[in-house]
Amino acid sequence: GELGEAIHAATDVSGFGLLGHLRNVLLASGVGARVVTDRVPVFERVAELIARGAVPGGTTRNLAAAARFTGYDARVTDVARTWLSDAQTSGGLLIAVAADAADRLVAALEREGTPAAAVIGNITPGTGEVEVTASDA
């Protein structure tokens, strides 16, 4: 089938960071989500910069806000928690797509030369709640 029919929601990831924008989509849709940090594309050296303390105030505020609706697996590092809430973004899109179309969407985005395309998690029960795990293992 057409990919357009399989896409349920999309938002740009901007000042509220990935978790903040994901939360807005989840609340509007009445569902929760699980995010796997190992799957989220991140620019090279971001972890190093965060570890050195190069974190803007907006990101710190986003991280504090995310604590109200996000449960983190013990293996999720403070650095990963920070970049999931980063207020500095690259204009990426967060797209909710039917599970059976996710791989086709990633392949289509890659064919178009999209700098990063990945399945970063899945939808779960629980309105607006986010579960973050370090890996699928």
Side-chain angles (χ1 to χ4, degrees), residues 115-131:
V119 176
I120 64 166
N122 57 281
I123 299 300
T124 64
T127 303
E129 299 301 312
V130 181
E131 171 196 356

Side-chain angles (χ1 to χ4, degrees), residues 58-85:
T59 298
T60 303
R61 287 186 295 277
N62 288 347
L63 184 58
R68 295 192 318 264
F69 59 84
T70 306
Y72 298 97
D73 174 308
R75 297 170 299 147
V76 177
T77 66
D78 288 342
V79 168
R81 293 174 194 219
T82 301
W83 54 251
L84 287 171
S85 296

Side-chain angles (χ1 to χ4, degrees), residues 105-115:
L105 177 59
V106 169
L109 290 168
E110 288 173 345
R111 281 194 303 275
E112 295 298 322
T114 303

Side-chain angles (χ1 to χ4, degrees), residues 15-28:
F16 294 113
L18 176 64
L19 292 178
H21 287 283
L22 174 59
R23 164 85 165 171
N24 289 339
V25 171
L26 298 176
L27 286 173

Side-chain angles (χ1 to χ4, degrees), residues 28-79:
S29 303
V31 295
R34 176 177 167 266
V35 174
V36 181
T37 60
D38 285 357
R39 294 189 193 177
V40 179
V42 179
F43 286 125
E44 195 176 321
R45 299 193 62 213
V46 165
E48 174 188 337
L49 290 167
I50 291 170
R52 291 159 121 200
V55 179
T59 298
T60 303
R61 287 186 295 277
N62 288 347
L63 184 58
R68 295 192 318 264
F69 59 84
T70 306
Y72 298 97
D73 174 308
R75 297 170 299 147
V76 177
T77 66
D78 288 342
V79 168

